[in-house]
Amino acid sequence: MIQVRGIHKSFGEQHVLRGIDVDFHEGQCNLIIGLSGSGKTVLLKSVLGLHSVDQGTISFDGRVLGDMGKKEVKVLRQEMGMVFQGSALFNSLTIAENVRLPLDFFGDMTEAEKDERVRFCLERVRIDPESFSKTPAELSGGMQKRVAIARAIVLNPKYLFCDEPNSGLDPETAIVIDQLIHEITHEFGMTTVINTHDMNSVLEIGDHVILMEKGVKAWEGTMEEVMDSDDSAVVEYVFRSNLFKKLRAALKKA
Amino acid sequence: MIYRFLDGLGRYFLFLGEVFHKPEHGREYLKSFFRELELLGFSSIALVSFISVFMGAVLTIQTAINLDDPFVPDSYIAIAVREGIVLEFAPTIVSLILAGKVGSNIASTLGTMRVTEQMDALRVMGINPASYLVLPKLFACLLFNPILIVFSMALGLVGGYYAGDFLNLVNTEVFLSGYFMEFNPFYIVYSLTKATVFAFIIATVSAYFGYNVEGGAVEVGKASTKSVVAMSFTIILFNYILTDLLLQ
């Protein structure tokens, strides 16, 4: 479990996070939703340690990030996997080399074991072996995202972070990516934190949903609770769209 | 303006501190080094060859025309061409050209990696991006630039000889003997010292600008341009300092 307690983060005069308290549960897809500029990405990057926080603590199964030495942070990093919004695959490497890179740095394996692990992870995200030697530029956006997921899970992480994993994808591919993350989370018992705008993702895989608004946590609950909630923040964010308004009305009627 | 310069200088040295962090997985750095050697070194051979041959030819033509005097032997023309190529053209001008080619490549590659979050991806994996991405490029430049400079010297002299012969400007036998007259071997040391310092400037200054890009594609382009300007200024400045220190 990842526990976030009272974190504040400012960039110059701009106070982006204003005292966030939240738990990200193990074996669940924890979704952070909210409008652009609500502080979702800063929260995610703060939890990842890419931004240092001004105040507050972030702990990973009891280990407080701010109290860790360099070696402990290094060990923690090997327990983390991250899927970036634009996939962030290395263009100079092939697909297989991209997935293999964390193993080359940190994996205590023989070359044959590394090859086997790379093959397993790529096949797990449904990349066919013919594509292993291609470069990222030769793949579609959806395939790049799947390779990014494979790279994120190659070290068998305890924590998986995804920043807008289905942005820029067509609705069908977006659902495939959502389902893949959901399956992997439950299969490997990971603590998954997903930053998203996509309400379909909330309804598909939102085991635990956190709504951010102007740098504070405005609401949290499960995907079922989202549909039933009369909280003003939820109503304003989720039910702006006519589709969701109608869907909620139909559910309530039912 | 002075504050901005000093601030930038301070950041540059902090960046170097990150770059020279002890590599923990030497094998991965070595693999990356060989990739960079091909990308930054071997790919510059054709450009350096072309420029060197023609610059050598132009130097011979200009010198021969300006020293067109029966009392000045052709060997003197050769000496002037040789010193021009060895002392200045090969180490300085070729380094300026490499600053444009290799330096802008480094700045734009790192800038693109920054804006597409590839550097964040490395940091999340626990890999120091400054060290992993810059150190192999730096060593590739430090190793290959002096080789390119020696190559450029040789081709410049060959170009000068054939231009003199082809245009019938000099007596080739006398001219060729001039290449070997009164040669000071320290000039090669001086030239290679400059090439090594310039290689360090090209790799680190361009990497600094690329590594610190914030924004998108436009900022990557701007950083690449800024890096070429900064490298050119620094190379010219260090050319003066090194010449003063080594040749006086």
Side-chain angles (χ1 to χ4, degrees), chain B residues 40 44 47-48 51-52 55 85-104 106 141-142 144-150 152-153 190-203 206 227-239 242:
Chain B
L40 303 177
S44 303
L47 176 71
V48 169
I51 291 168
S52 301
M55 283 299 284
I85 288 171
V86 171
L87 291 174
E88 204 53 31
F89 165 71
T92 310
I93 306 300
V94 169
S95 291
L96 284 169
I97 290 159
L98 289 174
K101 184 187 178 288
V102 174
S104 63
I106 293 174
C141 285
L142 286 175
F144 214 81
N145 277 27
I147 294 173
L148 280 175
I149 299 308
V150 171
S152 165
M153 285 177 196
Y190 159 78
S191 198
L192 291 181
T193 305
K194 286 208 300 185
T196 309
V197 172
F198 296 161
F200 185 86
I201 292 168
I202 291 169
S206 60
S227 77
V228 173
V229 173
M231 279 183 284
S232 304
F233 272 111
T234 318
I235 286 171
I236 296 295
L237 182 68
F238 272 83
N239 187 33
L242 289 171

Short mmCIF file of all heavy atoms in Angstrom, two decimals, chain B residues 40 44 47-48 51-52 55 85-104 106 141-142 144-150 152-153 190-203 206 227-239 242:
data_model
loop_
_atom_site.label_atom_id
_atom_site.label_comp_id
_atom_site.label_asym_id
_atom_site.label_seq_id
_atom_site.Cartn_x
_atom_site.Cartn_y
_atom_site.Cartn_z
N LEU B 40 28.19 9.33 -33.56
CA LEU B 40 28.82 10.65 -33.49
C LEU B 40 30.16 10.68 -34.21
O LEU B 40 30.60 11.74 -34.66
CB LEU B 40 29.02 11.07 -32.03
CG LEU B 40 27.78 11.11 -31.15
CD1 LEU B 40 28.15 11.48 -29.72
CD2 LEU B 40 26.76 12.11 -31.67
N SER B 44 30.74 11.14 -39.14
CA SER B 44 31.30 12.46 -39.49
C SER B 44 32.47 12.35 -40.46
O SER B 44 32.96 13.37 -40.94
CB SER B 44 31.78 13.17 -38.22
OG SER B 44 30.74 13.29 -37.29
N LEU B 47 31.95 13.96 -44.04
CA LEU B 47 31.89 15.43 -44.02
C LEU B 47 33.29 16.02 -43.80
O LEU B 47 33.72 16.93 -44.53
CB LEU B 47 30.94 15.89 -42.91
CG LEU B 47 30.85 17.39 -42.69
CD1 LEU B 47 30.10 18.05 -43.84
CD2 LEU B 47 30.16 17.71 -41.37
N VAL B 48 34.00 15.47 -42.81
CA VAL B 48 35.34 15.98 -42.48
C VAL B 48 36.29 15.77 -43.68
O VAL B 48 37.06 16.66 -44.03
CB VAL B 48 35.89 15.30 -41.20
CG1 VAL B 48 37.36 15.60 -40.99
CG2 VAL B 48 35.09 15.76 -39.97
N ILE B 51 35.45 18.36 -46.53
CA ILE B 51 35.85 19.72 -46.17
C ILE B 51 37.38 19.84 -46.14
O ILE B 51 37.94 20.81 -46.64
CB ILE B 51 35.24 20.11 -44.80
CG1 ILE B 51 33.72 20.26 -44.95
CG2 ILE B 51 35.84 21.40 -44.26
CD1 ILE B 51 33.00 20.37 -43.65
N SER B 52 38.04 18.83 -45.59
CA SER B 52 39.50 18.91 -45.42
C SER B 52 40.22 18.96 -46.77
O SER B 52 41.11 19.78 -46.98
CB SER B 52 39.99 17.70 -44.62
OG SER B 52 39.36 17.67 -43.38
N MET B 55 39.53 22.37 -48.33
CA MET B 55 40.17 23.47 -47.62
C MET B 55 41.68 23.46 -47.85
O MET B 55 42.30 24.51 -48.01
CB MET B 55 39.87 23.38 -46.11
CG MET B 55 38.49 23.85 -45.71
SD MET B 55 38.16 25.57 -46.10
CE MET B 55 39.08 26.37 -44.83
N ILE B 85 47.11 24.24 -41.85
CA ILE B 85 46.24 23.08 -41.65
C ILE B 85 46.45 22.48 -40.26
O ILE B 85 45.49 22.24 -39.52
CB ILE B 85 46.49 22.02 -42.75
CG1 ILE B 85 45.93 22.52 -44.08
CG2 ILE B 85 45.86 20.68 -42.38
CD1 ILE B 85 46.30 21.68 -45.27
N VAL B 86 47.71 22.25 -39.90
CA VAL B 86 48.00 21.55 -38.62
C VAL B 86 47.65 22.42 -37.42
O VAL B 86 47.07 21.94 -36.44
CB VAL B 86 49.49 21.12 -38.57
CG1 VAL B 86 49.86 20.59 -37.19
CG2 VAL B 86 49.76 20.07 -39.64
N LEU B 87 48.00 23.71 -37.48
CA LEU B 87 47.81 24.55 -36.29
C LEU B 87 46.37 25.03 -36.12
O LEU B 87 45.88 25.13 -35.00
CB LEU B 87 48.72 25.78 -36.36
CG LEU B 87 50.22 25.53 -36.21
CD1 LEU B 87 51.00 26.80 -36.45
CD2 LEU B 87 50.53 24.99 -34.82
N GLU B 88 45.73 25.37 -37.23
CA GLU B 88 44.45 26.04 -37.06
C GLU B 88 43.28 25.36 -37.77
O GLU B 88 42.24 25.12 -37.17
CB GLU B 88 44.59 27.50 -37.56
CG GLU B 88 43.58 28.44 -36.96
CD GLU B 88 43.53 28.42 -35.44
OE1 GLU B 88 44.58 28.17 -34.81
OE2 GLU B 88 42.44 28.61 -34.89
N PHE B 89 43.47 25.09 -39.05
CA PHE B 89 42.32 24.58 -39.79
C PHE B 89 41.79 23.27 -39.21
O PHE B 89 40.62 23.16 -38.83
CB PHE B 89 42.62 24.42 -41.29
CG PHE B 89 41.57 23.58 -41.96
CD1 PHE B 89 40.30 24.08 -42.14
CD2 PHE B 89 41.82 22.26 -42.32
CE1 PHE B 89 39.30 23.30 -42.68
CE2 PHE B 89 40.83 21.48 -42.86
CZ PHE B 89 39.57 22.00 -43.05
N ALA B 90 42.66 22.27 -39.10
CA ALA B 90 42.18 20.94 -38.67
C ALA B 90 41.60 20.97 -37.24
O ALA B 90 40.46 20.56 -37.04
CB ALA B 90 43.27 19.90 -38.81
N PRO B 91 42.34 21.49 -36.25
CA PRO B 91 41.76 21.42 -34.90
C PRO B 91 40.61 22.39 -34.67
O PRO B 91 39.61 22.02 -34.04
CB PRO B 91 42.94 21.74 -33.99
CG PRO B 91 43.91 22.48 -34.81
CD PRO B 91 43.72 22.02 -36.22
N THR B 92 40.72 23.61 -35.17
CA THR B 92 39.71 24.62 -34.79
C THR B 92 38.52 24.63 -35.75
O THR B 92 37.36 24.51 -35.32
CB THR B 92 40.35 26.03 -34.74
OG1 THR B 92 41.52 25.94 -33.94
CG2 THR B 92 39.39 27.04 -34.13
N ILE B 93 38.80 24.77 -37.03
CA ILE B 93 37.68 24.89 -37.98
C ILE B 93 36.88 23.59 -38.04
O ILE B 93 35.65 23.60 -38.03
CB ILE B 93 38.19 25.29 -39.40
CG1 ILE B 93 39.04 26.56 -39.33
CG2 ILE B 93 37.02 25.48 -40.36
CD1 ILE B 93 38.34 27.80 -38.79
N VAL B 94 37.59 22.46 -38.06
CA VAL B 94 36.87 21.18 -38.09
C VAL B 94 36.06 21.00 -36.80
O VAL B 94 34.93 20.52 -36.82
CB VAL B 94 37.83 20.00 -38.35
CG1 VAL B 94 37.15 18.66 -38.13
CG2 VAL B 94 38.37 20.06 -39.78
N SER B 95 36.62 21.45 -35.67
CA SER B 95 35.86 21.34 -34.40
C SER B 95 34.62 22.22 -34.45
O SER B 95 33.57 21.84 -33.92
CB SER B 95 36.73 21.75 -33.22
OG SER B 95 37.72 20.78 -33.02
N LEU B 96 34.74 23.39 -35.07
CA LEU B 96 33.54 24.26 -35.19
C LEU B 96 32.48 23.59 -36.06
O LEU B 96 31.28 23.67 -35.77
CB LEU B 96 33.93 25.62 -35.77
CG LEU B 96 34.62 26.59 -34.81
CD1 LEU B 96 35.18 27.79 -35.57
CD2 LEU B 96 33.67 27.06 -33.72
N ILE B 97 32.95 22.92 -37.11
CA ILE B 97 32.00 22.21 -37.98
C ILE B 97 31.36 21.04 -37.22
O ILE B 97 30.16 20.82 -37.29
CB ILE B 97 32.71 21.73 -39.26
CG1 ILE B 97 33.05 22.95 -40.14
CG2 ILE B 97 31.86 20.74 -40.05
CD1 ILE B 97 34.13 22.72 -41.15
N LEU B 98 32.20 20.34 -36.43
CA LEU B 98 31.66 19.22 -35.64
C LEU B 98 30.71 19.73 -34.55
O LEU B 98 29.76 19.04 -34.17
CB LEU B 98 32.80 18.41 -35.01
CG LEU B 98 33.63 17.58 -35.98
CD1 LEU B 98 34.81 16.95 -35.27
CD2 LEU B 98 32.78 16.49 -36.65
N ALA B 99 30.97 20.95 -34.07
CA ALA B 99 30.05 21.53 -33.07
C ALA B 99 28.66 21.66 -33.70
O ALA B 99 27.64 21.40 -33.06
CB ALA B 99 30.56 22.88 -32.60
N GLY B 100 28.63 22.07 -34.97
CA GLY B 100 27.35 22.19 -35.67
C GLY B 100 26.71 20.84 -35.92
O GLY B 100 25.51 20.66 -35.70
N LYS B 101 27.53 19.87 -36.36
CA LYS B 101 26.94 18.57 -36.71
C LYS B 101 26.69 17.70 -35.48
O LYS B 101 25.55 17.34 -35.18
CB LYS B 101 27.86 17.83 -37.69
CG LYS B 101 27.27 16.53 -38.17
CD LYS B 101 28.25 15.73 -39.00
CE LYS B 101 27.62 14.41 -39.42
NZ LYS B 101 27.49 13.46 -38.31
N VAL B 102 27.75 17.40 -34.75
CA VAL B 102 27.65 16.48 -33.60
C VAL B 102 26.93 17.16 -32.43
O VAL B 102 26.05 16.58 -31.79
CB VAL B 102 29.05 16.01 -33.17
CG1 VAL B 102 29.00 15.18 -31.91
CG2 VAL B 102 29.70 15.23 -34.30
N GLY B 103 27.32 18.43 -32.16
CA GLY B 103 26.75 19.13 -31.01
C GLY B 103 25.24 19.31 -31.13
O GLY B 103 24.50 19.06 -30.18
N SER B 104 24.79 19.73 -32.31
CA SER B 104 23.34 19.93 -32.45
C SER B 104 22.62 18.59 -32.39
O SER B 104 21.50 18.50 -31.89
CB SER B 104 23.02 20.66 -33.75
OG SER B 104 23.40 19.89 -34.85
N ILE B 106 23.55 16.03 -30.49
CA ILE B 106 23.47 15.68 -29.06
C ILE B 106 22.38 16.51 -28.38
O ILE B 106 21.54 15.97 -27.65
CB ILE B 106 24.84 15.91 -28.36
CG1 ILE B 106 25.89 14.93 -28.88
CG2 ILE B 106 24.70 15.78 -26.84
CD1 ILE B 106 27.30 15.16 -28.36
N CYS B 141 33.23 11.26 -28.17
CA CYS B 141 33.79 12.48 -28.74
C CYS B 141 35.27 12.62 -28.38
O CYS B 141 36.08 12.97 -29.24
CB CYS B 141 33.04 13.71 -28.24
SG CYS B 141 31.42 13.92 -28.99
N LEU B 142 35.60 12.34 -27.11
CA LEU B 142 36.99 12.49 -26.68
C LEU B 142 37.91 11.53 -27.44
O LEU B 142 39.06 11.86 -27.73
CB LEU B 142 37.13 12.24 -25.17
CG LEU B 142 36.62 13.34 -24.26
CD1 LEU B 142 36.71 12.90 -22.80
CD2 LEU B 142 37.37 14.65 -24.46
N PHE B 144 37.11 10.01 -30.52
CA PHE B 144 37.04 10.07 -31.98
C PHE B 144 37.42 11.43 -32.57
O PHE B 144 37.93 11.49 -33.68
CB PHE B 144 35.65 9.66 -32.45
CG PHE B 144 35.69 8.93 -33.76
CD1 PHE B 144 36.01 7.59 -33.80
CD2 PHE B 144 35.48 9.60 -34.95
CE1 PHE B 144 36.10 6.92 -35.00
CE2 PHE B 144 35.56 8.93 -36.16
CZ PHE B 144 35.87 7.59 -36.19
N ASN B 145 37.16 12.52 -31.85
CA ASN B 145 37.48 13.84 -32.42
C ASN B 145 38.97 13.99 -32.74
O ASN B 145 39.29 14.42 -33.85
CB ASN B 145 37.00 14.96 -31.50
CG ASN B 145 35.54 15.25 -31.73
OD1 ASN B 145 34.78 14.37 -32.14
ND2 ASN B 145 35.12 16.48 -31.47
N PRO B 146 39.87 13.62 -31.82
CA PRO B 146 41.29 13.72 -32.20
C PRO B 146 41.64 12.86 -33.42
O PRO B 146 42.44 13.27 -34.26
CB PRO B 146 42.03 13.22 -30.94
CG PRO B 146 41.08 13.52 -29.82
CD PRO B 146 39.72 13.28 -30.39
N ILE B 147 40.98 11.69 -33.53
CA ILE B 147 41.23 10.83 -34.71
C ILE B 147 40.77 11.56 -35.97
O ILE B 147 41.46 11.60 -36.99
CB ILE B 147 40.50 9.47 -34.56
CG1 ILE B 147 41.12 8.68 -33.40
CG2 ILE B 147 40.56 8.66 -35.85
CD1 ILE B 147 40.37 7.41 -33.04
N LEU B 148 39.60 12.19 -35.87
CA LEU B 148 39.08 12.94 -37.03
C LEU B 148 40.00 14.11 -37.38
O LEU B 148 40.18 14.42 -38.57
CB LEU B 148 37.68 13.49 -36.71
CG LEU B 148 36.50 12.53 -36.83
CD1 LEU B 148 35.22 13.21 -36.37
CD2 LEU B 148 36.32 12.06 -38.27
N ILE B 149 40.57 14.72 -36.36
CA ILE B 149 41.45 15.87 -36.60
C ILE B 149 42.73 15.42 -37.33
O ILE B 149 43.18 16.06 -38.28
CB ILE B 149 41.80 16.59 -35.26
CG1 ILE B 149 40.53 17.11 -34.57
CG2 ILE B 149 42.82 17.72 -35.48
CD1 ILE B 149 39.60 17.96 -35.38
N VAL B 150 43.30 14.28 -36.90
CA VAL B 150 44.50 13.75 -37.56
C VAL B 150 44.16 13.40 -39.02
O VAL B 150 44.91 13.71 -39.95
CB VAL B 150 45.04 12.51 -36.81
CG1 VAL B 150 46.13 11.81 -37.60
CG2 VAL B 150 45.56 12.91 -35.44
N SER B 152 41.82 14.75 -40.76
CA SER B 152 41.61 16.01 -41.47
C SER B 152 42.95 16.63 -41.87
O SER B 152 43.09 17.14 -42.99
CB SER B 152 40.84 16.97 -40.55
OG SER B 152 40.91 18.26 -41.04
N MET B 153 43.94 16.56 -40.97
CA MET B 153 45.27 17.10 -41.30
C MET B 153 45.83 16.39 -42.54
O MET B 153 46.28 17.04 -43.49
CB MET B 153 46.25 16.84 -40.14
CG MET B 153 46.07 17.72 -38.95
SD MET B 153 47.25 17.15 -37.70
CE MET B 153 46.60 17.92 -36.26
N TYR B 190 50.12 20.14 -29.71
CA TYR B 190 49.30 21.34 -29.51
C TYR B 190 47.92 21.16 -30.18
O TYR B 190 46.87 21.43 -29.58
CB TYR B 190 50.05 22.54 -30.10
CG TYR B 190 49.20 23.74 -30.44
CD1 TYR B 190 48.76 24.62 -29.45
CD2 TYR B 190 48.85 24.01 -31.77
CE1 TYR B 190 48.00 25.73 -29.78
CE2 TYR B 190 48.09 25.12 -32.10
CZ TYR B 190 47.67 25.98 -31.10
OH TYR B 190 46.89 27.06 -31.42
N SER B 191 47.97 20.67 -31.39
CA SER B 191 46.74 20.50 -32.17
C SER B 191 45.81 19.46 -31.53
O SER B 191 44.60 19.69 -31.43
CB SER B 191 47.14 20.06 -33.58
OG SER B 191 46.10 20.27 -34.44
N LEU B 192 46.40 18.35 -31.08
CA LEU B 192 45.58 17.30 -30.48
C LEU B 192 45.06 17.71 -29.09
O LEU B 192 43.97 17.30 -28.69
CB LEU B 192 46.34 15.98 -30.41
CG LEU B 192 46.62 15.33 -31.76
CD1 LEU B 192 47.37 14.02 -31.60
CD2 LEU B 192 45.33 15.10 -32.54
N THR B 193 45.84 18.53 -28.39
CA THR B 193 45.36 19.05 -27.10
C THR B 193 44.12 19.90 -27.35
O THR B 193 43.11 19.78 -26.64
CB THR B 193 46.47 19.91 -26.42
OG1 THR B 193 47.64 19.13 -26.33
CG2 THR B 193 46.04 20.38 -25.04
N LYS B 194 44.21 20.76 -28.37
CA LYS B 194 43.05 21.60 -28.70
C LYS B 194 41.86 20.72 -29.09
O LYS B 194 40.73 20.94 -28.63
CB LYS B 194 43.39 22.54 -29.87
CG LYS B 194 44.30 23.68 -29.50
CD LYS B 194 44.11 24.93 -30.36
CE LYS B 194 44.35 24.76 -31.82
NZ LYS B 194 44.28 26.05 -32.56
N ALA B 195 42.13 19.71 -29.92
CA ALA B 195 41.04 18.84 -30.39
C ALA B 195 40.35 18.16 -29.20
O ALA B 195 39.12 18.04 -29.18
CB ALA B 195 41.58 17.79 -31.34
N THR B 196 41.14 17.74 -28.21
CA THR B 196 40.56 17.04 -27.05
C THR B 196 39.72 18.01 -26.20
O THR B 196 38.60 17.67 -25.79
CB THR B 196 41.68 16.42 -26.18
OG1 THR B 196 42.52 15.67 -27.04
CG2 THR B 196 41.14 15.53 -25.10
N VAL B 197 40.26 19.21 -25.97
CA VAL B 197 39.50 20.21 -25.19
C VAL B 197 38.21 20.58 -25.94
O VAL B 197 37.13 20.66 -25.34
CB VAL B 197 40.37 21.47 -24.92
CG1 VAL B 197 39.54 22.58 -24.30
CG2 VAL B 197 41.54 21.12 -24.03
N PHE B 198 38.31 20.77 -27.24
CA PHE B 198 37.12 21.13 -28.03
C PHE B 198 36.09 19.99 -28.02
O PHE B 198 34.89 20.23 -28.00
CB PHE B 198 37.50 21.49 -29.47
CG PHE B 198 38.38 22.71 -29.59
CD1 PHE B 198 39.13 22.94 -30.74
CD2 PHE B 198 38.47 23.63 -28.56
CE1 PHE B 198 39.95 24.05 -30.85
CE2 PHE B 198 39.29 24.76 -28.67
CZ PHE B 198 40.04 24.96 -29.82
N ALA B 199 36.59 18.75 -28.03
CA ALA B 199 35.66 17.60 -27.99
C ALA B 199 34.89 17.60 -26.67
O ALA B 199 33.68 17.36 -26.64
CB ALA B 199 36.44 16.29 -28.12
N PHE B 200 35.59 17.93 -25.58
CA PHE B 200 34.93 18.01 -24.27
C PHE B 200 33.88 19.11 -24.30
O PHE B 200 32.74 18.92 -23.82
CB PHE B 200 35.99 18.31 -23.19
CG PHE B 200 35.43 18.30 -21.80
CD1 PHE B 200 35.33 17.12 -21.08
CD2 PHE B 200 34.98 19.48 -21.20
CE1 PHE B 200 34.78 17.10 -19.80
CE2 PHE B 200 34.44 19.48 -19.93
CZ PHE B 200 34.35 18.28 -19.22
N ILE B 201 34.23 20.25 -24.89
CA ILE B 201 33.28 21.37 -24.97
C ILE B 201 32.06 20.97 -25.80
O ILE B 201 30.91 21.19 -25.40
CB ILE B 201 33.97 22.63 -25.57
CG1 ILE B 201 35.02 23.16 -24.59
CG2 ILE B 201 32.95 23.72 -25.92
CD1 ILE B 201 35.95 24.20 -25.19
N ILE B 202 32.31 20.37 -26.96
CA ILE B 202 31.20 19.99 -27.85
C ILE B 202 30.23 19.04 -27.13
O ILE B 202 29.02 19.25 -27.12
CB ILE B 202 31.74 19.33 -29.16
CG1 ILE B 202 32.45 20.38 -30.01
CG2 ILE B 202 30.61 18.68 -29.96
CD1 ILE B 202 33.24 19.81 -31.17
N ALA B 203 30.78 18.01 -26.50
CA ALA B 203 29.91 17.00 -25.87
C ALA B 203 29.17 17.54 -24.66
O ALA B 203 27.96 17.33 -24.52
CB ALA B 203 30.74 15.78 -25.48
N SER B 206 26.72 20.94 -25.44
CA SER B 206 25.50 20.57 -26.18
C SER B 206 24.60 19.71 -25.29
O SER B 206 23.38 19.87 -25.28
CB SER B 206 25.85 19.84 -27.46
OG SER B 206 26.58 18.67 -27.16
N SER B 227 22.84 25.93 -28.26
CA SER B 227 24.02 25.13 -27.93
C SER B 227 25.12 25.36 -28.97
O SER B 227 26.30 25.46 -28.62
CB SER B 227 23.67 23.65 -27.81
OG SER B 227 23.52 23.07 -29.07
N VAL B 228 24.74 25.46 -30.25
CA VAL B 228 25.76 25.67 -31.30
C VAL B 228 26.43 27.03 -31.10
O VAL B 228 27.65 27.17 -31.21
CB VAL B 228 25.13 25.54 -32.70
CG1 VAL B 228 26.14 25.92 -33.78
CG2 VAL B 228 24.65 24.12 -32.95
N VAL B 229 25.62 28.05 -30.76
CA VAL B 229 26.18 29.39 -30.53
C VAL B 229 27.14 29.34 -29.33
O VAL B 229 28.27 29.83 -29.40
CB VAL B 229 25.04 30.42 -30.28
CG1 VAL B 229 25.60 31.77 -29.87
CG2 VAL B 229 24.16 30.56 -31.52
N ALA B 230 26.69 28.72 -28.23
CA ALA B 230 27.51 28.66 -27.01
C ALA B 230 28.80 27.88 -27.27
O ALA B 230 29.88 28.28 -26.82
CB ALA B 230 26.71 28.02 -25.87
N MET B 231 28.69 26.76 -28.01
CA MET B 231 29.88 25.96 -28.31
C MET B 231 30.87 26.76 -29.15
O MET B 231 32.07 26.73 -28.89
CB MET B 231 29.48 24.69 -29.08
CG MET B 231 28.96 23.59 -28.21
SD MET B 231 28.59 22.14 -29.18
CE MET B 231 27.07 22.57 -29.97
N SER B 232 30.35 27.49 -30.15
CA SER B 232 31.23 28.26 -31.04
C SER B 232 32.00 29.31 -30.24
O SER B 232 33.22 29.45 -30.37
CB SER B 232 30.43 28.93 -32.15
OG SER B 232 29.69 27.96 -32.84
N PHE B 233 31.27 30.06 -29.37
CA PHE B 233 31.94 31.06 -28.53
C PHE B 233 33.01 30.41 -27.65
O PHE B 233 34.13 30.90 -27.55
CB PHE B 233 30.90 31.75 -27.61
CG PHE B 233 30.25 32.94 -28.24
CD1 PHE B 233 28.91 32.93 -28.60
CD2 PHE B 233 30.99 34.10 -28.47
CE1 PHE B 233 28.31 34.03 -29.19
CE2 PHE B 233 30.39 35.21 -29.06
CZ PHE B 233 29.05 35.19 -29.42
N THR B 234 32.64 29.30 -27.01
CA THR B 234 33.55 28.66 -26.07
C THR B 234 34.79 28.12 -26.80
O THR B 234 35.91 28.25 -26.30
CB THR B 234 32.83 27.52 -25.32
OG1 THR B 234 31.53 27.96 -24.97
CG2 THR B 234 33.56 27.12 -24.07
N ILE B 235 34.57 27.52 -27.97
CA ILE B 235 35.71 26.97 -28.73
C ILE B 235 36.67 28.09 -29.13
O ILE B 235 37.89 27.98 -28.97
CB ILE B 235 35.20 26.18 -29.96
CG1 ILE B 235 34.61 24.85 -29.51
CG2 ILE B 235 36.33 25.95 -30.97
CD1 ILE B 235 33.89 24.07 -30.60
N ILE B 236 36.11 29.19 -29.62
CA ILE B 236 36.96 30.31 -30.05
C ILE B 236 37.74 30.87 -28.86
O ILE B 236 38.93 31.17 -28.95
CB ILE B 236 36.10 31.41 -30.73
CG1 ILE B 236 35.45 30.87 -32.01
CG2 ILE B 236 36.91 32.68 -31.00
CD1 ILE B 236 36.40 30.50 -33.12
N LEU B 237 37.06 31.00 -27.72
CA LEU B 237 37.70 31.52 -26.51
C LEU B 237 38.83 30.59 -26.05
O LEU B 237 39.95 31.03 -25.77
CB LEU B 237 36.65 31.68 -25.41
CG LEU B 237 37.14 32.26 -24.09
CD1 LEU B 237 37.52 33.73 -24.27
CD2 LEU B 237 36.06 32.14 -23.02
N PHE B 238 38.53 29.29 -26.01
CA PHE B 238 39.55 28.33 -25.56
C PHE B 238 40.67 28.17 -26.59
O PHE B 238 41.79 27.84 -26.22
CB PHE B 238 38.91 26.97 -25.21
CG PHE B 238 38.46 26.91 -23.79
CD1 PHE B 238 37.24 27.44 -23.42
CD2 PHE B 238 39.26 26.38 -22.80
CE1 PHE B 238 36.81 27.42 -22.10
CE2 PHE B 238 38.86 26.36 -21.48
CZ PHE B 238 37.63 26.89 -21.13
N ASN B 239 40.38 28.43 -27.85
CA ASN B 239 41.41 28.40 -28.88
C ASN B 239 42.46 29.47 -28.55
O ASN B 239 43.66 29.21 -28.60
CB ASN B 239 40.77 28.67 -30.25
CG ASN B 239 41.75 28.50 -31.38
OD1 ASN B 239 42.64 27.67 -31.31
ND2 ASN B 239 41.59 29.30 -32.42
N LEU B 242 44.34 28.42 -25.14
CA LEU B 242 45.28 27.31 -25.33
C LEU B 242 46.47 27.72 -26.18
O LEU B 242 47.61 27.30 -25.93
CB LEU B 242 44.56 26.11 -25.97
CG LEU B 242 43.57 25.39 -25.07
CD1 LEU B 242 42.77 24.36 -25.87
CD2 LEU B 242 44.30 24.68 -23.93
#
